[in-house]
Amino acid sequence: MDIQYLLWLQNFRESINNAWTPFMEWVSMFAVDYLILFAVFYYWNIDKRKGLYTLVSYYFCMVLTPLIKLTACIYRPWIRDSRVLPAGDAITTATGYSFPSGHTTTAGPLAGGMAVNTWKDKRTRAISVIFIIFILLTAFSRNYLGVHTPQDVCTALLISALSLFGTAKLFTYLDRHPEKEDIILLCGFIFCCLAIVYITFKPYPMDYNAAGELIVDPGKMMNDGYGDLGKMMGFIIGRYIEKTLIKFRPLKNGVKSVIICLVGLIPMILLKNYFSPFMTATFGSHWGKLFFSIIYACYYIALIPFVLKLIGKQEEKAA
């Protein structure tokens, strides 16, 4: 049934001469490359706690997704059925195993967290609706492009919802017991280390085609897992540094604050486009992704907040 649905979408794509394909590719790309900038900007400039809520929900998904993917080891639709032909360049960007959809578990907590943050205020409720629509559109785009089954995206949506709910409960608990945060951060870091050991040494399916070639290389499938777990590890390190040494507060000083934070987002794009390939070339695809993700998360969780605190102090002196 799932393959039949993908084939129906494939026939539809072909009937309209792939007119919607570029847009669906853009949706998928935006979800994994740029959606995080909204949450980071919110964290820096508008509401620190609500920004953290969105980001922590995202990190929970980044831990759960690779563990499920690399445990279930479900092959992509075109491997399971050669009739499925992914659209455009989707086949080159669809890395790792199929179940669940990583693009959806990225869009779900990031856009979902922002939707939660902007829902209560009637002035921003329309923005909240746009974020919700984007989640559903991202999920659908993965089916439309032929790189995920409905089960992949539906499970990813469920994981996203559970992450958002679980993070809300965690924040409520920490509001009552702030002294427990260090223990939770330490446990999270140890869990990520154990997860890396698990995905590195667990057995993987080794299936070969008629020509004797390996259908899916488990080594390549692990790449995203190292990177995703590195995001949580980077957050934990950055959060501990920020809460212990920096303790910044969003500037909230109008246009100037917005400009400063927008400028701070530019290196995030440059780091991902240029520093990430350098790290993988230097340390290999696994450890390079892990180390880059740690540095990347520390940049926006701790480094820029440190800069914002310095700017805030200068403004207080000037006043």
Side-chain angles (χ1 to χ4, degrees), residues 185-305:
L185 290 174
L186 178 60
C187 290
F189 194 86
I190 293 172
F191 180 85
C192 289
C193 292
L194 293 175
I196 290 171
V197 173
Y198 169 70
I199 67 173
T200 302
F201 295 104
K202 73 170 289 289
Y204 291 92
M206 303 291 286
D207 298 319
Y208 296 84
N209 60 22
E213 301 169 332
L214 190 63
I215 295 175
V216 173
D217 182 358
K220 292 181 179 179
M221 298 298 102
M222 282 187 261
N223 285 341
D224 289 344
Y226 273 76
D228 289 341
L229 290 166
K231 292 170 186 174
M232 175 63 97
M233 296 173 77
F235 165 76
I236 291 170
I237 294 170
R239 171 59 184 164
Y240 182 79
I241 293 171
E242 194 284 319
K243 71 181 282 293
T244 305
L245 303 175
I246 301 172
K247 302 175 183 178
F248 91 103
R249 291 178 296 175
L251 295 178
K252 294 183 179 180
N253 59 0
V255 176
K256 181 180 177 181
S257 175
V258 171
I259 293 174
I260 291 171
C261 291
L262 288 176
V263 170
L265 293 176
I266 295 174
M268 288 184 64
I269 300 172
L270 297 177
L271 283 169
K272 196 161 188 178
N273 290 338
Y274 300 104
F275 188 59
S276 178
F278 167 77
M279 292 295 287
T280 53
T282 303
F283 297 101
S285 57
H286 290 357
W287 295 107
K289 281 200 169 187
L290 178 78
F291 295 148
F292 168 76
S293 293
I294 292 173
I295 294 170
Y296 188 66
C298 285
Y299 169 81
Y300 58 80
I301 294 297
L303 180 58
I304 292 299

Side-chain angles (χ1 to χ4, degrees), residues 26 85 109 127 156 273 310:
W26 177 87
L85 303 174
I127 297 174
N273 290 338
L310 292 180

